[in-house]
Amino acid sequence: MVTTHNLGFPRIGKQRELKFALEKYWTNHISQEELLQTASTLRQQHWENQSALDLAPVGDFSFYDQVLDTSFLLGNVPQRVENISDNELDNYFRVARGRASTNESSCTCVQAGEMTKWFDTNYHYIVPEFSQATNFALQPQRLIAQIVEAQAQGINTKPVIVGPVTYLWLGKSKDTSNKLDLLDSLVVVYAQLFDELAKLGIEWVQIDEPILVTELSADWQLAFEKTYQSLASSPVKLLLASYFGTLQDNLMLTCNLPVDGLHIDAINAKEEVQKVIDNLADNKILSLGVINGRNIWKTDFSATLLWLKPIYQQLKDRLWLAPSCSLLHVPVDLGSEQALDVDIKSWLSFAVQKLEELRILAKALNQGQASVTKEIANNINAIDNRKHSLLVHNSLVKQRVADVSDALGNRQSSYKVRVKIQGEKLNLPLYPTTTIGSFPQTTEIRQARRNYKAGQLSETEYIKAMRAEVQHCIKMQVELGLDVLVHGEPERNDMVEYFGQQLEGYAFSQFGWVQSYGSRCVKPPIIFGDISRLKPMTVEWAVYAQSLTNKPVKGMLTGPVTMLNWSFVRDDQPRATTCLQLSFAIRDEVIDLEKANINIIQIDEAALREGLPLRQSQWQEYLDWAVNAYRISANGVNDGTQIHTHMCYSEFNDIIGAIAHMDADVITIETSRSDMELLDVFDDFTYPNEIGPGVYDIHSPNIPTVNSIVELMQKAAQRIPAERLWVNPDCGLKTRNWSEVKPALENMILASKQLRN
Ligand code: GLN
Ligand code: ZN
């Protein structure tokens, strides 16, 4: 018989119950008992959702982050919180977010732990901290309590734990010590943990080691061998889980580790499965992640079963089935969606549905396909409907993509030629000043947008309200004396959603929330079909703003790569193809803006870096198609039109060639926090075009002084000639107040005047 299990379930709740409870707790609106109660209700609910599985995960629930949970489990708690209070949960929140509650009377705030992306997902974890003084000491109470809870509910529990090697690898050494020196003492604690788990009657423990899908140096490969040799005599069985990619040169290492079973991502590493089977000792379990845990499409039962049946015949009871990775990365329940097109809805599958798919696949193998005839027939219908749907396929779009040539991405002339033409046309001063696009989004603006969406505000009234805000933004910018203005983006709630809603091929869920960090969730739009633009999306706003001033107004668009990276994407064509479709839609918008006499156009690629594959060996391929898509969207304009792009993270050193190849006339980037150190890359690389290194950290309420801005810009001028420098904030200003933005921009403009002199 095939065994079914799950690697992790989303914990935020169908209606984001955990988010709201956390935020109420942090603002002292509910007690800790109430928070704990919500958490336990959610866990109970989620185990019920998983009750048809042979094994359900425990330990995947977290109040903030599972890596931070692991730090607490291992007793690796930063010293700065150790003696603050004896309330462990509050200390946990202090590490997670700097403080346990917003209104702490005597603030026991500490520096929050660093947060970074969990592999190539949009989930962020709290980075473990290590130093020479790090001492591990098992603190298993929380995990044990949850296991007991699940067992009482009659769940066959499989604890899920971040593995020791991945845990070390994800952390940061705060001094000069080598993290790997901690391995031996760390492994001892894991061994103690397994003893504790065995006492609870646990048979299987899932150990997540996703770094096995990355490029590992010899010392880290060795760390794997040492670790699992030491743990080989554990009284529990270990299922070593890798996911998010292929094992490649770690494949033999992984197969040979002395564990009781492996989990392989059979979506991303399907082509490796046979090799794993061939190299796996015949007493080991093989769990195959056959359901995509990173996307929202229905599994194709026929294709999956066709592939799985011979594997099942080969492995028999040794075959386990699961989603490819934790379901943390998909929304909870499609059943909540009331507004999706019925066809589109029939193609989708969220966490709850994915587990049902798993049950059906296992039943088909265990009891024969005849036992699930109806389910399979329904699935075939849905898959077939999607394959041939007119909603999905647009032959004109396909033709345009097929006819693409690299020449479409080339500007008419080189930057050297363009800069002269643009200079004459725009007549900007040295050190020109601008902003990144959005201005503060006040409660009134948000309310107007909401009312309009809810049908309580007519289109005319809505446009009037937004125009009034554009007018206000322009007036402020003129008074401040900025050189290149923006309309302020009051009509946009989100930089991807705003465009997605106007494009064919995009759908939006109502409750498709996915945890991003802590209590924060995002609701990625769904690209289900060929992308096309029905009509101009931003031209009226830009033209209206331009009509109010003689200064140039910058048109403002989101680039194709960012649209792609922040959406759930199609699995029926390569990402590169979808990206190209998006780039044509944006290209048409760029050209329409140019026709409407908007002479400066910014195309934001905030998420370009995020799309980099986990393995550096695959970076170039991604950068080639991504930069090409950007170029096609941006570069269809005349020499006199100035193209800007903006990126939020400026850790460019490793991809600077690709950034330069975008050939934007101006790039604005986030740099202020790094004291311009991020510009070191320009010591060795001559960036050919103009650049605006951010001088105002918009993530902080602090107002930068004139002097600090001048100093930052002078540092920049040591690397980039002054005539190619712009003065601007790090990013959009929508999360700030006017009372902060005004003095900050005033200082920015004063600084730029000083620099000119
Ligand atoms: N133009 C966008 C804004 O100003 C850019 C946002 C971003 O880079 N994340 O809000
Ligand atoms: Zn930004």
Side-chain angles (χ1 to χ4, degrees), residues 163-165 183 187 209 222-232 258:
V165 190
L183 188 64
V187 172
E209 293 283 15
L222 188 65
F224 267 104
E225 284 171 2
K226 276 176 56 185
T227 300
Y228 288 93
Q229 284 301 342
S230 316
L231 296 172

Side-chain angles (χ1 to χ4, degrees), residues 646 648 730-731:
H646 165 73
C648 293
D730 266 345
C731 194

Side-chain angles (χ1 to χ4, degrees), residues 74-199:
L74 301 168
N76 181 28
V77 178
Q79 225 153 24
R80 60 184 180 277
V81 296
E82 245 165 24
N83 294 317
I84 293 192
S85 103
D86 46 18
N87 189 314
E88 192 183 84
L89 188 60
D90 281 348
N91 284 343
Y92 171 90
F93 288 138
R94 288 188 182 99
V95 185
R97 51 194 292 281
R99 48 170 71 195
S101 118
T102 319
N103 339 332
E104 273 177 297
S105 47
S106 59
C107 186
T108 41
C109 310
V110 297
Q111 196 194 350
E114 195 183 317
M115 197 164 63
T116 195
K117 268 171 168 284
W118 175 249
F119 297 86
D120 58 353
T121 73
N122 198 15
Y123 176 81
H124 301 72
Y125 69 92
I126 305 286
V127 179
E129 298 174 26
F130 302 121
S131 72
Q132 250 147 4
T134 299
N135 243 323
F136 300 106
L138 186 64
Q139 303 291 336
Q141 302 81 351
R142 184 197 60 96
L143 182 62
I144 289 179
Q146 292 181 18
I147 292 170
V148 171
E149 209 178 79
Q151 286 173 333
Q153 204 180 314
I155 297 295
N156 194 5
T157 57
K158 177 198 61 178
V160 177
I161 295 154
V162 179
V165 190
T166 291
Y167 178 74
L168 270 188
W169 193 85
L170 292 175
K172 236 185 187 173
S173 182
K174 293 279 166 178
D175 52 25
T176 51
S177 59
N178 180 356
K179 294 188 282 185
L180 280 172
D181 292 344
L182 295 169
L183 188 64
D184 292 344
S185 61
L186 180 61
V187 172
V188 170
V189 176
Y190 274 82
Q192 290 167 353
L193 173 66
F194 297 150
D195 289 342
E196 294 295 322
L197 297 179
K199 284 184 210 154

Side-chain angles (χ1 to χ4, degrees), residues 415 418 630 643 645 647 652 655-669 679 681-692 719-721 724-725:
Y415 168 76
R418 290 173 348 231
Y630 165 84
I643 295 289
T645 189
M647 278 177 210
F652 283 164
I655 57 166
I656 186 70
I659 306 262
H661 187 53
M662 291 166 79
D663 198 20
D665 296 302
V666 183
I667 181 166
T668 55
I669 54 175
L679 297 185
V681 56
F682 298 109
D683 289 345
D684 306 319
F685 185 93
T686 322
Y687 185 74
N689 306 356
E690 288 159 58
I691 182 161
R719 281 117 165 164
I720 295 142
R724 288 203 264 121
L725 282 174

Side-chain angles (χ1 to χ4, degrees), residues 210-221:
I211 63 164
L212 283 166
V213 307
T214 68
E215 284 140 341
L216 293 177
S217 54
D219 48 348
W220 285 95
Q221 293 189 330

Side-chain angles (χ1 to χ4, degrees), residues 62-86:
S62 175
F63 277 112
Y64 205 95
D65 163 44
Q66 73 269 7
V67 179
L68 185 59
D69 292 359
T70 312
S71 291
F72 274 74
L73 173 72
L74 301 168
N76 181 28
V77 178
Q79 225 153 24
R80 60 184 180 277
V81 296
E82 245 165 24
N83 294 317
I84 293 192
S85 103
D86 46 18

Side-chain angles (χ1 to χ4, degrees), residues 117 122 494-497 506 522-527 558 560-569 575 605-608 610-611 648-649:
K117 268 171 168 284
N122 198 15
D494 174 277
M495 64 189 285
V496 171
E497 188 174 83
Y506 256 106
V522 293
K523 189 151 68 67
I526 299 165
I527 302 179
T558 301
V561 188
T562 299
M563 299 279 297
L564 183 87
N565 285 343
W566 284 348
S567 303
F568 280 123
V569 298
R575 290 174 80 83
E605 283 294 19
L608 183 101
E610 287 183 21
C648 293
Y649 312 98

